[in-house]
Amino acid sequence: MVTNKVLDEILRSQGPFDESLHSFLLRIIWNYDPTIKPIGVIKKSGGFVYSPFCHKNIEHLFRSYPDHVLLEIIDINETINGENNSIFDCPANYTYRIKDTFFPNKNKNETRLIYKDIKYCLACINESIKSFGYGYFRSFWEIDNKCLIHHSPLKKIPIINITKTIKSIKMIMKGIEPKGAIEVKIQKKEYKTPVNPDDCLNEKYLFPIKFADCLMHPFAIWIIKNKDKFKSNNLKTLAFKAIAEYIDCDNRSNITNDMLIKKRFTYFHLLCSSEEPNMLSDFYLNHVDFLELYLGPREEGVIKEIYSKSKEHKCSTCNLQHCTIKNGTTHKPLSRKKINSDFLFNSSYTLNRIAMQGRAIKILGSEPWTPIDVCIESKI
């Protein structure tokens, strides 16, 4: 059992890499020019902007940081699971925040009323000044009301206006308590079990190689031709349901119908991977081409993913509206023989991040496209 004292030391050891995005932006901006008013980080009302960004005139301050470093600064609290990692999800989704945050090319903040409280622990600030030479806001302060290191309530500054907030934050970063600080009330958190089992499935399984939309029709045809060859009764039942919904869907441009069909095909792929992987391998062998995508706003080669598309489908004549390849993402073809589990973990930044987090996972089969259980302790 991990004691509080051991946990305290683990959390302390994360510094200074546990800095929040708001804090990182403010620190870099004010190191460059202490007089800048960071309207992309602090709202005019005085609270933290919910989704902070770098003002157009100072984007150059962050160009020396590689894309993957900026991504980790943004997603420091993120535990990667199956959400947004289903088989038809865009493999580049998680990278778009790099551009939106650091290179958004905009001058004004959104007019949203929502904001984040500015919470802090002065003891932590003074420790960071002593250890690293500067004070910063820890990332977990944004999601909790107490300091997990000192076991004391956090404090927050009153939201009055941006000028007073800037003055208070600069004092806090120097280890000085600002006037009017309020102690945050610690409330017991309630954890609710999702009512819809789909919510659990969405988080539990990650698909390491996503399908381009051009694979939906070939996948449907393959299921139709092989529906009587499946040995599993569960798989046969799911195959008939998936095909019936696909055929009955008259309007393929209907977003709701499209999502339902993709979900049904996702479940089929998941079950087939577990129960009859050799059948699924036949589909990949005869109908799928593989690509290596170079992601991130500057496509530097560190953030990469493996993607799959239809062999029969030509990208040059494609009329699909939403496609990662058509969006101009740099890519190169990959030989099926080259793709194995080792290659995939080295070439998929998503899987790389899971490995860096030291997560326990379970791969449901031996093929590289097999779904991965990234929440092996969860029950569905």
Side-chain angles (χ1 to χ4, degrees):
M1 182 177 179
V2 178
T3 64
N4 283 341
K5 188 174 182 180
V6 173
L7 183 60
D8 297 347
E9 292 307 313
I10 292 174
L11 290 171
R12 273 196 179 91
S13 69
Q14 303 302 310
F17 305 110
D18 57 347
E19 184 173 17
S20 74
L21 175 58
H22 292 86
S23 177
F24 174 76
L25 287 167
L26 291 175
R27 191 167 53 78
I28 300 301
I29 290 170
W30 285 335
N31 278 345
Y32 171 71
D33 183 352
T35 65
I36 288 179
K37 186 174 285 189
I39 59 171
V41 186
I42 304 171
K43 295 184 71 68
K44 289 182 179 179
S45 61
F48 271 157
V49 173
Y50 197 81
S51 297
F53 67 91
C54 172
H55 192 275
K56 179 181 178 180
N57 294 337
I58 48 177
E59 287 181 6
H60 64 278
L61 297 178
F62 302 94
R63 295 199 178 277
S64 62
Y65 295 87
D67 285 349
H68 66 282
V69 172
L70 296 178
L71 179 64
E72 296 307 325
I73 292 167
I74 294 170
D75 283 349
I76 193 168
N77 284 321
E78 292 295 317
T79 297
I80 300 165
N81 55 28
E83 189 176 356
N84 298 320
N85 277 305
S86 189
I87 195 164
F88 285 102
D89 284 333
C90 173
N93 273 342
Y94 71 95
T95 68
Y96 294 148
R97 282 194 66 195
I98 303 171
K99 184 177 186 301
D100 292 343
T101 302
F102 295 102
F103 315 113
N105 193 32
K106 62 181 181 180
N107 292 312
K108 294 182 179 180
N109 201 349
E110 296 176 5
T111 56
R112 296 170 65 189
L113 296 176
I114 191 168
Y115 64 86
K116 288 185 177 181
D117 284 330
I118 302 172
K119 297 180 286 186
Y120 66 95
C121 168
L122 205 63
C124 281
I125 295 284
N126 282 308
E127 283 184 13
S128 68
I129 292 172
K130 185 176 180 180
S131 299
F132 312 115
Y134 60 89
Y136 68 90
F137 287 69
R138 293 186 187 272
S139 59
F140 66 76
W141 294 344
E142 294 186 0
I143 57 176
D144 213 319
N145 286 336
K146 70 174 181 179
C147 177
L148 301 179
I149 295 175
H150 297 97
H151 310 287
S152 58
L154 294 174
K155 288 189 175 182
K156 66 178 182 179
I157 62 176
I159 305 301
I160 300 174
N161 57 52
I162 187 171
T163 302
K164 291 190 176 181
T165 293
I166 289 173
K167 183 179 180 181
S168 295
I169 290 176
K170 288 183 175 181
M171 289 178 68
I172 292 168
M173 285 182 158
K174 293 177 181 178
I176 303 169
E177 191 87 77
K179 292 181 179 180
I182 306 165
E183 189 173 281
V184 180
K185 292 181 180 179
I186 298 176
Q187 297 177 338
K188 188 176 181 181
K189 292 184 178 181
E190 294 184 4
Y191 298 94
K192 296 181 180 179
T193 303
V195 177
N196 186 350
D198 284 354
D199 294 339
C200 295
L201 283 171
N202 289 342
E203 293 185 3
K204 188 172 176 62
Y205 297 106
L206 179 146
F207 289 78
I209 300 179
K210 311 292 191 294
F211 271 9
D213 277 5
C214 60
L215 273 169
M216 188 184 296
H217 184 67
F219 196 40
I221 298 301
W222 177 80
I223 295 173
I224 291 172
K225 288 181 177 179
N226 291 279
K227 63 183 185 299
D228 295 323
K229 296 180 182 179
F230 297 115
K231 298 175 184 178
S232 164
N233 289 329
N234 290 334
L235 207 51
K236 284 183 179 180
T237 301
L238 191 54
F240 277 103
K241 286 182 178 179
I243 294 308
E245 287 182 4
Y246 185 78
I247 294 173
D248 289 343
C249 182
D250 294 325
N251 184 7
R252 291 290 294 119
S253 63
N254 185 290
I255 295 175
T256 302
N257 288 340
D258 193 57
M259 290 176 63
L260 289 172
I261 291 166
K262 286 180 178 179
K263 183 176 287 188
R264 188 71 74 183
F265 281 171
T266 298
Y267 288 169
F268 181 86
H269 187 291
L270 178 64
L271 192 61
C272 197
S273 297
S274 301
E275 298 195 358
E276 298 190 36
N278 290 336
M279 288 288 290
L280 193 59
S281 294
D282 170 74
F283 171 73
Y284 276 92
L285 180 64
N286 294 298
H287 300 280
V288 177
D289 279 335
F290 296 94
L291 302 169
E292 187 172 37
L293 305 179
Y294 293 84
L295 306 176
R298 293 171 287 184
E299 297 182 349
E300 296 167 327
V302 176
I303 305 177
K304 299 183 293 184
E305 297 294 343
I306 309 302
Y307 200 38
S308 58
K309 63 173 286 290
S310 169
K311 277 187 177 181
E312 297 87 4
H313 201 87
K314 292 184 178 180
C315 295
S316 58
T317 58
C318 173
N319 59 1
L320 293 173
Q321 293 181 349
H322 305 289
C323 177
T324 303
I325 304 169
K326 281 185 65 178
N327 288 341
T329 301
T330 301
H331 59 276
K332 69 176 183 180
L334 283 176
S335 167
R336 162 67 188 92
K337 295 178 181 179
K338 189 175 182 180
I339 303 173
N340 54 37
S341 295
D342 288 341
F343 178 84
L344 185 61
F345 268 84
N346 286 323
S347 300
S348 167
Y349 195 70
T350 296
L351 298 185
N352 240 285
R353 297 175 82 196
I354 291 175
M356 287 189 289
Q357 291 176 353
R359 302 268 298 287
I361 61 173
K362 180 181 179 182
I363 303 174
L364 302 187
S366 58
E367 297 290 0
W369 51 74
T370 303
I372 300 172
D373 184 347
V374 290
C375 304
I376 61 174
E377 294 179 356
S378 67
K379 297 179 181 179
I380 60 169

